[in-house]
Amino acid sequence: MSKMPTPGPAQGWCALQALHDRIETHIERALQAEHDLSVREYSALNVLIGQHPGDGGHLRMNQLAESLVLSQSATTRLVTRLEERGLLERYLCPDDRRGIYTDVTETGRELLARARPTNDKALDEALSEAERNDEYAPLVAAVRALHPA
């Protein structure tokens, strides 16, 4: 009779991926229903809202791609969608005309402000639900420990 392998990092990784997918799906549904916004769109606005004037204050498109863990082309499509909705605007870097910066418009800021409580509530709901699953409970505890309330 063959022996079952001892659970290891691969099983933990699979659980982490499954937890991520469950949480993202829950948040996606809430953001789409309430604000017609995807998780990626929300994340982009959230990252870009933290920009500031001055040295290193604005992200180039490649830095945004890295921050969102997206390819350059996927980031360009995402920014284009948000720009078409009037939530972002692009402009050339004043120091390097090859660089492109992106700013959140006032409309984008207002949408993000309205969407943030929806995102936070959906995240809390998804974490609370996952916490009841023995496989996910330690992962949820780790997530909650990162930023205690």
Side-chain angles (χ1 to χ4, degrees):
M1 183 176 210
S2 68
K3 203 169 152 182
M4 289 294 291
T6 305
Q11 285 80 12
W13 176 244
C14 287
L16 182 59
Q17 285 179 308
L19 176 62
H20 173 272
D21 292 348
R22 287 170 177 260
I23 290 170
E24 187 170 76
T25 298
H26 190 81
I27 295 170
E28 180 84 27
R29 286 182 185 139
L31 287 172
Q32 283 289 346
E34 296 290 323
H35 308 285
D36 191 29
L37 202 58
S38 73
V39 169
R40 292 283 187 207
E41 291 167 338
Y42 176 89
S43 295
L45 291 172
N46 196 47
V47 166
L48 292 169
I49 202 84
Q51 298 182 125
H52 59 84
D55 291 344
H58 280 81
L59 297 176
R60 291 177 181 254
M61 292 292 282
N62 64 324
Q63 292 170 306
L64 179 60
E66 284 180 28
S67 180
L68 297 174
V69 192
L70 291 174
S71 68
Q72 282 289 132
S73 60
T75 302
T76 299
R77 288 189 303 272
L78 174 63
V79 167
T80 298
R81 280 195 316 272
L82 291 170
E83 190 176 35
E84 287 171 353
R85 291 178 61 185
L87 304 174
L88 294 180
E89 56 190 6
R90 286 186 255 200
Y91 64 95
L92 293 176
C93 170
D95 302 330
D96 178 1
R97 304 301 276 175
R98 295 169 299 169
I100 297 174
Y101 287 151
T102 305
D103 265 337
V104 181
T105 63
E106 189 57 37
T107 302
R109 289 176 186 281
E110 291 168 2
L111 178 58
L112 182 62
R114 288 192 313 272
R116 186 167 277 125
T118 303
N119 180 79
D120 294 349
K121 180 181 178 209
L123 173 58
D124 188 56
E125 289 169 355
L127 288 172
S128 294
E129 182 180 316
E131 214 164 23
R132 294 190 289 272
N133 179 313
D134 290 341
E135 185 178 22
Y136 301 141
L139 298 172
V140 172
V143 168
R144 292 193 192 277
L146 291 172
H147 295 283

